[in-house]
Amino acid sequence: MANCKQRGSALPPSTGLEGEGNCRLHFLPKYLSRQNNLLSIAGGALLLLLVFGQSLGAPRSFSVDYKSNCFRKDGEEFRYISGSIHYNRIPRVYWKDRLLKMYMAGLNAIQTYIPWNYHEESPGQYNFSGEKDVEYFLQLAQKIGLLVILRPGPYICAEWDMGGLPAWLLTKKDIVLRSSDPDYIAAADKWMGKLLPMIKPYLYQNGGPIITVQVENEYGSYFACDYNYLRHLSNLFRTQLGKEVVLFTTDGAGVGYLKCGSIQGLYATVDFGPGTNVSAAFDAQRHAEPHGPLVNSEFYTGWLDHWGSRHSTVSSAALVKSLNEILAMGANVNLYMFIGGTNFGYWNGANEPYGAQPTSYDYDAPLTEAGDLTEKYFAIQEVIKMYHKIPEGPIPPTTPKYAYGAVVMKKLQTVLDALEKLSFSGQVKSLYPLTFIELNQAFGYILYRTTLPVNCTTPTPLSSPLNGVHDRAYVLVDGMAVGILERNRAITVNVTGKAGSQVDILVENMGRINYGKGINDFKGLVSNLTLGKDTLTGWTMYSLNIDEAVKQGLLGDREATPADPPQPVAFSSPAFYSGSFIIPDGIPDLPQDTYIKLPKWKKGQVWINGFNIGRYWPARGPQVTLFVPAYILSTAAPNNVTVLELEEAPCNSEPCTVEFTATPILNATVHSDYKQSRRLFVKEDLL
Ligand SMILES: *[C@@H]1O[C@H](CO)[C@@H](O)[C@H](O)[C@H]1NC(C)=O
Ligand SMILES: *[C@@H]1O[C@H](CO)[C@@H](O)[C@H](O)[C@H]1NC(C)=O
Ligand SMILES: *[C@@H]1O[C@H](CO)[C@@H](O)[C@H](O)[C@H]1NC(C)=O
Ligand SMILES: *[C@@H]1O[C@H](CO)[C@@H](O)[C@H](O)[C@H]1NC(C)=O
Ligand SMILES: *[C@@H]1O[C@H](CO)[C@@H](O)[C@H](O)[C@H]1NC(C)=O
Ligand SMILES: *[C@@H]1O[C@H](CO)[C@@H](O)[C@H](O)[C@H]1NC(C)=O
Ligand SMILES: *[C@@H]1O[C@H](CO)[C@@H](O)[C@H](O)[C@H]1NC(C)=O
């Protein structure tokens, strides 16, 4: 970093501020120049220096100034221009690149959530290593010169499975999440008792980058409106983090939201998107906080997607117009998202009426899912430039993508063939069907098996009268695919067969609801199925650990005989497919990032070298390509692609392929007209 010194010294001196009761600020006073000089110093020495540097000057402080209506950092008026980045949606190898790009855009802070269910997948089993090393992420942000606005939940929404709450909370069937329910409180206390002491050293006043910490998230949009719960969390955070830390809440910019979302002792902030009447939105904040800094904690740069709904976009023009208005008012702002990233594996959430979010969380943000610079990025930078000095120097370039081309796939076993290998824990029998949680499985797929109790010589409706297929089920009779049941959409398939025929129902958890009162989202067959007028009973259930089977390479070739039974045209038995490709020689800088595309495939899950890339569903859209980060690819061995196709692979008559391309497609025409409740910037709760 040859130009660090230069850049640091190019900053204006930290003069006083103009304006009455307003925070019109210069870019990152003092702190930044110190940080910049430290950029070239190795990580270990950094902390020492910070502590040393601190002991030389005034103590580090960060607070709300109710007189001047602004934040105060080290005694000086301060305004943040921040961007959201979720470390859990970005490969660790790219954290630094993305943070640097954010810094170079002119941001002086970032905002991140901490998803509880990502770090405590089973009760008491914590994981903060590798991709989950949130402390390392905080250290990187600080090293780059970014402050941090931390949102540790316990509930985070975030279009993340169950809004970040661990599914194992549902082992108490009637638990009232996000309330004073003693079992919920006990679990949340235990988690926060682990997490908060870990982040305490990273608070600004303790030498770290964290300036503010959010308590809960948009609590005013939740039906419970339990002030005792908010008060409990407030006390807990205060006790764990100390009396100086600025704790805040965030709610929709309406007095109605703030009613149940804000309490004494937590600084109330709002969120709203482009096109909103900015002064009216801040009037709502003023209703709860007559004095103090104006803060938009989520200013939407784009918006979320759902399978089956059109890809959301927000124009740069609309965005920068509102951003300019916000900054002109001296308000603090966090751009949500600055980079969205990816819901790898099974981590996506869903909204009501049930609609799951896709694998990509691109969000039409200024940095794409893959971290690419966009026209929106530069448009934002231009606006920030009018208010704050922005850093000089090169912006890390967009990382190159490579089109590895088509990979021929061959069929492996079907899920039914491979059942023993997939079901590590064996079978569970029960008169009535059990849910995922009752079977001790959080994510993925479970196979439910029973038999036809009667002769069905004519098509007989097999139904879920209470809409209890959560979320999608692939129905087979004697190994023949006969149809699909889908939550809210298809509650009946017709079956024929003799009494005693085997009925297999592969149920997919497509992601738990993350917003509203439906977050107690049980998965699997959550109510009885009927055949004609009879309730189906006598179930055998197989928990499937497909990820482990893929990783261990357990899935075998399909046996040559017997031939597949003739299938009705629309479906085939859910099955695995595999193929491999080699990174070409002689091209510099390979492997590079790429996108996988599955033309003519329908719906399923894809792994590369055992890494779960996520769900694909081009048959519904709008997402067509899945982001494949280079770090999971190998130059030392062929790269293995494994696909679980749930409906029908295009492999019957011709050799079938998947394709690696250099260009993402997230906005294909959707094959559905399912209405979503969360329209652009609208967060109505279904009370
Ligand atoms: C913790 O999470 C990381 C993902 O970054 C994973 O590689 C590792 O296996 C996990 N550790 C345990 C003990 O599950
Ligand atoms: C925006 O809201 C303010 C009230 O805060 C109101 O005075 C103003 O007329 C509104 N502007 C527009 C364009 O609706
Ligand atoms: C089903 O039909 C067969 C004749 O095809 C008959 O033998 C059998 O008893 C029937 N079973 C039931 C349960 O009705
Ligand atoms: C099932 O069959 C009945 C009678 O043939 C038909 O009316 C109905 O539409 C079918 N239902 C489905 C879901 O295919
Ligand atoms: C299925 O029905 C039985 C009998 O009515 C009932 O006891 C049971 O709770 C139901 N199971 C589910 C999962 O709804
Ligand atoms: C792909 O699978 C083959 C065969 O199991 C194995 O030899 C190879 O190491 C795998 N490739 C990677 C990158 O793991
Ligand atoms: C998708 O986005 C690209 C790039 O912005 C655009 O060229 C294309 O027309 C869009 N396609 C659809 C179907 O909207």
Side-chain angles (χ1 to χ4, degrees), residues 6 18 21 82 140 183 266 271 281 342 353 467 492 576 600 617:
Q6 214 180 334
E18 307 83 16
S82 164
L140 268 181
D183 294 282
L266 305 178
D271 45 34
T342 310
N467 192 22
T492 300
F576 294 96
K600 297 193 222 156
W617 201 354

Side-chain angles (χ1 to χ4, degrees), residues 303-532:
W303 195 242
L304 52 136
D305 278 347
H306 297 98
W307 291 118
S309 298
R310 281 182 54 188
H311 177 55
S312 307
T313 57
V314 169
S315 77
S316 293
L319 176 71
V320 300
K321 183 170 176 289
S322 290
L323 179 61
N324 191 21
E325 285 170 38
I326 291 169
L327 294 181
M329 290 181 76
N332 297 265
V333 65
N334 172 67
L335 294 118
Y336 187 102
M337 300 294 300
F338 204 87
I339 172 166
T342 310
N343 298 310
F344 292 115
Y346 307 109
W347 288 113
N348 67 275
N351 278 304
E352 290 182 286
Y354 189 83
Q357 296 125 17
T359 301
S360 172
Y361 196 60
D362 179 88
Y363 216 83
D364 197 31
L367 293 171
T368 69
E369 173 177 21
D372 296 1
L373 302 164
T374 65
E375 162 262 329
K376 195 177 271 183
Y377 175 96
F378 293 102
I380 289 169
Q381 194 188 42
E382 283 305 309
V383 178
I384 296 176
K385 234 181 229 174
M386 301 194 297
Y387 298 90
H388 287 193
K389 177 116 179 64
I390 69 165
E392 284 162 27
I395 300 170
T398 285
T399 45
K401 311 294 182 295
Y402 193 82
Y404 299 98
V407 173
V408 175
M409 302 295 286
K410 88 177 168 192
K411 189 170 183 181
L412 303 177
Q413 294 174 297
T414 64
V415 170
L416 294 188
D417 292 339
L419 197 52
E420 304 244 306
K421 298 172 192 171
L422 299 172
S423 178
F424 288 75
S425 52
Q427 57 186 46
V428 173
K429 288 181 184 288
S430 161
L431 190 57
Y432 302 114
L434 302 175
T435 63
F436 269 54
I437 285 304
E438 286 167 328
L439 293 165
N440 200 24
Q441 181 172 337
F443 297 107
Y445 305 82
I446 288 181
L447 187 84
Y448 292 76
R449 175 173 285 177
T450 186
T451 52
L452 290 180
V454 292
N455 287 321
C456 299
T457 42
T458 55
T460 308
L462 187 154
S463 300
S464 175
L466 300 178
N467 192 22
V469 173
H470 288 191
D471 304 298
R472 208 160 189 266
Y474 309 90
V475 182
L476 302 108
V477 176
D478 281 340
M480 287 250 292
V482 298
I484 294 171
L485 297 169
E486 187 178 337
R487 186 171 179 178
N488 292 2
R489 290 208 175 194
I491 59 163
T492 300
V493 294
N494 283 332
V495 300
T496 52
K498 290 204 183 71
S501 293
Q502 181 174 297
V503 178
D504 284 300
I505 302 182
L506 180 67
V507 181
E508 176 186 5
N509 164 0
M510 295 205 300
R512 290 184 185 80
I513 291 168
N514 59 267
Y515 179 80
K517 69 176 178 187
I519 55 175
N520 296 44
D521 193 6
F522 292 88
K523 295 303 187 184
L525 297 181
V526 307
S527 60
N528 288 304
L529 296 188
T530 55
L531 183 71

Side-chain angles (χ1 to χ4, degrees), residues 20 126 160 218 335 337 381 422 488 605 620:
E20 320 86 31
Y126 303 104
W160 190 256
E218 294 179 346
L335 294 118
M337 300 294 300
Q381 194 188 42
L422 299 172
N488 292 2
Q605 198 94 28
R620 191 161 288 177

Side-chain angles (χ1 to χ4, degrees), residues 255-277:
V255 173
Y257 293 116
L258 287 152
K259 182 170 163 271
C260 295
S262 58
I263 57 162
Q264 197 70 39
L266 305 178
Y267 191 75
T269 73
V270 291
D271 45 34
F272 58 87
T276 308
N277 181 329

Side-chain angles (χ1 to χ4, degrees), residues 131-319:
E131 299 292 325
K132 302 186 178 182
D133 190 348
V134 61
E135 285 191 74
Y136 176 67
F137 181 76
L138 295 172
Q139 288 161 11
L140 268 181
Q142 181 167 23
K143 220 184 267 192
I144 285 164
L146 291 160
L147 298 164
V148 174
I149 296 151
L150 197 69
R151 313 217 277 170
Y155 165 83
I156 61 169
C157 193
E159 288 73 65
W160 190 256
D161 189 78
M162 209 167 146
L165 299 177
W168 50 256
L169 289 170
L170 301 175
T171 46
K172 180 186 176 187
K173 269 193 178 142
D174 56 352
I175 193 166
V176 184
L177 301 168
R178 307 177 68 194
S179 81
S180 302
D181 182 304
D183 294 282
Y184 174 74
I185 291 285
D189 281 359
K190 194 158 165 266
W191 161 240
M192 286 299 165
K194 171 83 184 167
L195 178 68
L196 297 179
M198 181 188 279
I199 63 163
K200 189 175 180 185
Y202 295 94
L203 295 178
Y204 186 79
Q205 52 273 24
N206 298 334
I210 301 170
I211 49 173
T212 60
V213 178
Q214 188 189 358
V215 178
E216 246 280 346
N217 184 54
E218 294 179 346
Y219 192 63
S221 301
Y222 192 56
F223 75 93
C225 194
D226 180 344
Y227 293 111
N228 288 334
Y229 165 57
L230 265 198
R231 219 170 283 127
H232 175 84
L233 286 183
S234 170
N235 291 337
L236 178 68
F237 277 50
R238 192 56 73 199
T239 310
Q240 291 282 1
L241 298 178
K243 64 179 184 346
E244 301 101 281
V245 64
V246 175
L247 299 176
F248 73 101
T249 57
T250 299
D251 281 288
V255 173
Y257 293 116
L258 287 152
K259 182 170 163 271
C260 295
S262 58
I263 57 162
Q264 197 70 39
L266 305 178
Y267 191 75
T269 73
V270 291
D271 45 34
F272 58 87
T276 308
N277 181 329
V278 173
S279 61
F282 283 130
D283 284 350
Q285 190 197 350
R286 277 282 171 257
H287 186 83
E289 274 324 328
H291 305 285
L294 297 175
V295 181
N296 182 351
S297 291
E298 290 188 4
F299 175 59
Y300 306 110
T301 61
W303 195 242
L304 52 136
D305 278 347
H306 297 98
W307 291 118
S309 298
R310 281 182 54 188
H311 177 55
S312 307
T313 57
V314 169
S315 77
S316 293
L319 176 71

